[in-house]
Amino acid sequence: MKIGMVGLGRMGGNMVRRMRRAGLEVVGYSREAEVNRKLADETGMIPADSLKDVVAKLDAPRVVWLMLPAGEATDAVAEQMKQMLQPGDVLVDGGNSHYKDSQLRAIEMKSAGLSFVDVGTSGGVWGLANGYSLMVGGEKEAVAHVQPFLEALAPAPDQGWLHCGPNGAGHFTKMVHNGIEYGMMQAYAEGFALMKGKTEFDMDLAAIAEVWRNGSVVRSWLLDLTADFLSKDQQLDAIEPFVTDSGEGRWTVIESVEQGMPAPVMATALMARFASRGEGDFASRMLAMMRNGFGGHAVKQRG
Amino acid sequence: MKIGMVGLGRMGGNMVRRMRRAGLEVVGYSREAEVNRKLADETGMIPADSLKDVVAKLDAPRVVWLMLPAGEATDAVAEQMKQMLQPGDVLVDGGNSHYKDSQLRAIEMKSAGLSFVDVGTSGGVWGLANGYSLMVGGEKEAVAHVQPFLEALAPAPDQGWLHCGPNGAGHFTKMVHNGIEYGMMQAYAEGFALMKGKTEFDMDLAAIAEVWRNGSVVRSWLLDLTADFLSKDQQLDAIEPFVTDSGEGRWTVIESVEQGMPAPVMATALMARFASRGEGDFASRMLAMMRNGFGGHAVKQRG
Amino acid sequence: MKIGMVGLGRMGGNMVRRMRRAGLEVVGYSREAEVNRKLADETGMIPADSLKDVVAKLDAPRVVWLMLPAGEATDAVAEQMKQMLQPGDVLVDGGNSHYKDSQLRAIEMKSAGLSFVDVGTSGGVWGLANGYSLMVGGEKEAVAHVQPFLEALAPAPDQGWLHCGPNGAGHFTKMVHNGIEYGMMQAYAEGFALMKGKTEFDMDLAAIAEVWRNGSVVRSWLLDLTADFLSKDQQLDAIEPFVTDSGEGRWTVIESVEQGMPAPVMATALMARFASRGEGDFASRMLAMMRNGFGGHAVKQRG
Amino acid sequence: MKIGMVGLGRMGGNMVRRMRRAGLEVVGYSREAEVNRKLADETGMIPADSLKDVVAKLDAPRVVWLMLPAGEATDAVAEQMKQMLQPGDVLVDGGNSHYKDSQLRAIEMKSAGLSFVDVGTSGGVWGLANGYSLMVGGEKEAVAHVQPFLEALAPAPDQGWLHCGPNGAGHFTKMVHNGIEYGMMQAYAEGFALMKGKTEFDMDLAAIAEVWRNGSVVRSWLLDLTADFLSKDQQLDAIEPFVTDSGEGRWTVIESVEQGMPAPVMATALMARFASRGEGDFASRMLAMMRNGFGGHAVKQRG
């Protein structure tokens, strides 16, 4: 079984490693030759020096897995692959693409006789050790071609990956997964903040995270990670209160709006991230001025 | 008709002015003799030099109106008044007390043969010119004693004041009024922020506020005030994005929680104010660290 | 000054009436001949019996105002107008189109030598009597052609209409207006619900709405309307707790997400409408089952 | 080591079982003699036939653990225990009391020479098998007396229980735990609802919950439970969309308001529960009437 892996960054590189450990052959390609060479040395991956070379080094029916930033990068390489691959080949997008883009991409690939599989991938930097959670969309036969690789990437061959539905269903499921993630994270963050704010109790947040890991209703992997970083530093004074977001949380809220299906916690968690980046400041200034306007309340002038 | 007014700050002072303009006699008292004297000179208010003197200068049945900060200040003076006033007299709390405190205070005053009236007062610095909106709680006869003063303070004798219900109902109504105010303010603030954020349209926020004042669904007095301050400065660069809150918005959310009656917009608006003051920063740091934990996402270090 | 008005529904019909009262000539067209004829009889509007006839009855440079449901209806007629109008003519979309659609439409019309003006219209059924609030996007010269009609529709020639910016800016401003409207409405609704929920005070909601109209910080046109319907019925027992939404509130939340600019109150107000339609029921069932799962809490079975 | 356990309901009964399995002696008491007798037969618990008998059957320094509904039930029994216990004895409240009540109770017990320990208990019906997560507040020596029992109740002697801080800190930590729980539950519920709402993908929610359990970022014990009930029924048609709440979620939101520390996700999750019970219906009726008022939008009349 041989697969082509395009994109050898944090995610793609570790996925190559995990597949290699499972004894699968991987033809890998990164735009940075150095990355390519090093990973080949480390893992026995077959390095390719171009997209064309990836295709050339695989046997039909080929499976090429893209692990690239969603949007332009994925679009550009998918377009090239459409030209290079041959009928019966399978293109996989394992990145964080929007599910509607994946639905369109599937149609486009089909018009060239190619199969397309969209794979939402969760597991982050821990996927290498623990295996990835893989949410898969596409037609049955196409998924069957990809199955050996999914089995190697998942925590175990028969768990941690799922054929969720037709094209788009994989990225859709991953999108919703991230929406849930945002809500959970915010819930934990609020809780620990309330405990820190209760200064009279002078609580040890690391110890509390640790105790909750055992037997509590809120135990989770996110809590495991939280206990870990709190054990090293629970003041977090050196950390900017600045939280970025990667797109999927936004898309989930938009999905909620488009479906007319309430997702108030997801929306609220997302808005809290926006606010953490100072994006609510103008609104706050407006509020301060309104209070001044009707009540004569003093407004803080900036230093 | 004579009334005693205790507390001659921004609110109390203007209320004296408005009652004097209506030809009512007012015995006024402030702890600051200077304030007392000046207001007497300006308005013909009868100055008192102590709480005792206020009582002495009124005829039974007396009406004494407290216009003091809620909490300790009001509690202390109300306690003294309870000692000094005589059965049949009426004590009015026109400040922002919690309605449950007012319910208790009414019982306490009754035990001394006194009547109590709680008055929620809206109108801010504009009340002097436009009249105040007055929400009144208490027993009928007590309210009847206060009525001439309510009629003078309101925009017109027959509008702008209401006997809302038994003791507590006045301050309760004012509390809910402020909860609504928080939600409305936040709605406007978010809207103007979205327009400012749409830089490609380079919109004139002052002009938009002005146009909405005429014929739009969102026209309101708060919008009038907004149009006014935006006409002077719509960048607000010199204003800190720091919004305080006066208690009643908090109480309304707690009321919602205690009733089990959803008030998600009020709660959200309140939380946005907390966040404007940096109180969400620790939670944001937690989020940044969690993202780092599972995804290896970079964390911004503080300079 | 002559204008063509296409779409004579609740909004379009009243706009014809208002323009006629101002002495402007209007060529009107509705797909329903009866509507067309009646309005002509009532107002002296010149009836057209087809889109072609609208164009024929106007003098160059023509101004044709579409007042149609956003989406397919507007798209279809705009497309036909593009074929029929001549260079220098102006097409106006006064409906609730998405501002991005209007931006695209402007480009498309320009390619045919036509000008396009997008007008967001607020004022509802009261616009006929009070005038409309009109938010206008487009190029200066095009707006100048439409100005006489804007002046007639607005509450007064010099207030209530605004050239907000380039194409799209009119519908964008209207969209944000509606987002604010959702937040304000929800704030009022929550407040009145809390007062109704406080049964011990047995408050007269109609009287409270009325008193707030005078001098309070929350006075507004929406409150005027609220006072009016509460004065007729404050139990609302016959009303389904079912709230629809027209698209613009959704778009505003999506705009917030796309800008990364927090609008938590708008999002919350929108989600509350979704929930009012039972769309949160499956999530609630999930919660009930989770509680059952960890705590053995009883689950209500449906009758 | 011998302990008195008062309250042998779902929680108390299982705690007796778990302590008995660990070889600890338990004197148990329930108001229902039958419950008492059965549990004694099953576990070898020493049954007491009154509170007095509980005290009599223990050796000084006694440890008596109350596992009763918070509020009146706990208050009443604690008061009696205060009379019956002797200086040096320790009273434990393992129920869901408000932390401020526990702070006051500790002072009161101290005045009688007794120690008080507040224990927040998580783990629900699964605690018997898995052990409980125990959050403990009180003075060091008092906690030391209770430690053998905490070690038996926890998943392991050295994990799953924590001395969080002074009196109140135990119940405070449990309160925040539940606030987090509300947020997490709502996040999952929203996510699964969005997937169910995406009917075109016809997804198998049970399979998705299962796949997420392995390797995904959102894996947790709540997800384990969710996967379990979805595997039996993923339509949930027979379940009422009615979610109750037990007090601690409310207290956490009130704590957030009192601290001025934003907890928007917790507040939103709580409000969603209120709404699930129809408590938002009056507000929705208000919205429907406002829309009717300004836009002439039809209002649904109740059948």
Side-chain angles (χ1 to χ4, degrees), chain C residues 126 239 244 285 291 293 300, chain D residues 126 239-240 244 285 291 293:
Chain C
W126 298 83
I239 308 300
T244 47
R285 291 185 177 105
R291 295 186 81 239
K300 277 182 98 171
Chain D
W126 298 83
I239 309 301
E240 280 288 352
T244 46
R285 290 184 178 106
R291 294 186 83 239

Side-chain angles (χ1 to χ4, degrees), chain B residues 54-234:
Chain B
V54 172
V55 174
K57 288 190 160 120
L58 295 169
D59 313 310
R62 294 169 191 81
V63 175
V64 176
W65 184 301
L66 309 187
M67 206 66 204
L68 297 164
E72 285 180 31
T74 296
D75 290 350
V77 175
E79 185 52 35
Q80 292 177 66
M81 278 295 156
K82 187 181 151 195
Q83 311 301 328
M84 295 174 189
L85 292 174
Q86 291 168 8
D89 289 350
V90 181
L91 183 70
V92 179
D93 177 6
N96 281 329
S97 299
H98 194 289
Y99 78 91
K100 290 182 184 173
D101 291 337
S102 296
Q103 288 179 302
L104 292 175
R105 197 174 327 275
I107 292 167
E108 205 189 345
M109 292 298 153
K110 198 162 197 175
S111 74
L114 304 173
S115 292
F116 178 73
V117 173
D118 52 288
V119 178
T121 310
S122 181
V125 292
W126 298 83
L128 174 57
N130 299 348
Y132 297 90
S133 178
L134 300 157
M135 298 147 251
V136 184
E139 294 181 2
K140 243 185 208 171
E141 310 82 70
V143 174
H145 278 303
V146 188
Q147 183 162 344
F149 309 101
L150 298 169
E151 291 180 352
L153 290 168
D158 59 346
Q159 60 178 36
W161 72 272
L162 181 71
H163 183 191
C164 297
N167 274 120
H171 282 147
F172 181 86
T173 305
K174 175 63 183 351
M175 178 190 81
V176 172
H177 165 281
N178 281 30
I180 294 171
E181 178 190 299
Y182 278 39
M184 289 174 68
M185 288 171 69
Q186 180 69 22
Y188 284 120
E190 290 175 7
F192 282 94
L194 286 173
M195 290 189 290
K196 189 176 175 64
K198 195 70 179 175
T199 49
E200 69 184 274
F201 285 152
D202 189 27
M203 289 191 287
D204 180 340
L205 301 190
I208 288 168
E210 184 59 35
V211 77
W212 282 348
R213 294 182 61 211
N214 300 289
S216 91
V217 172
V218 301
R219 62 191 188 261
S220 74
W221 187 62
L222 277 167
L223 183 64
D224 296 346
L225 297 175
T226 299
D228 182 58
F229 72 74
L230 287 176
S231 74
K232 293 164 198 157
D233 171 20
Q234 64 178 263

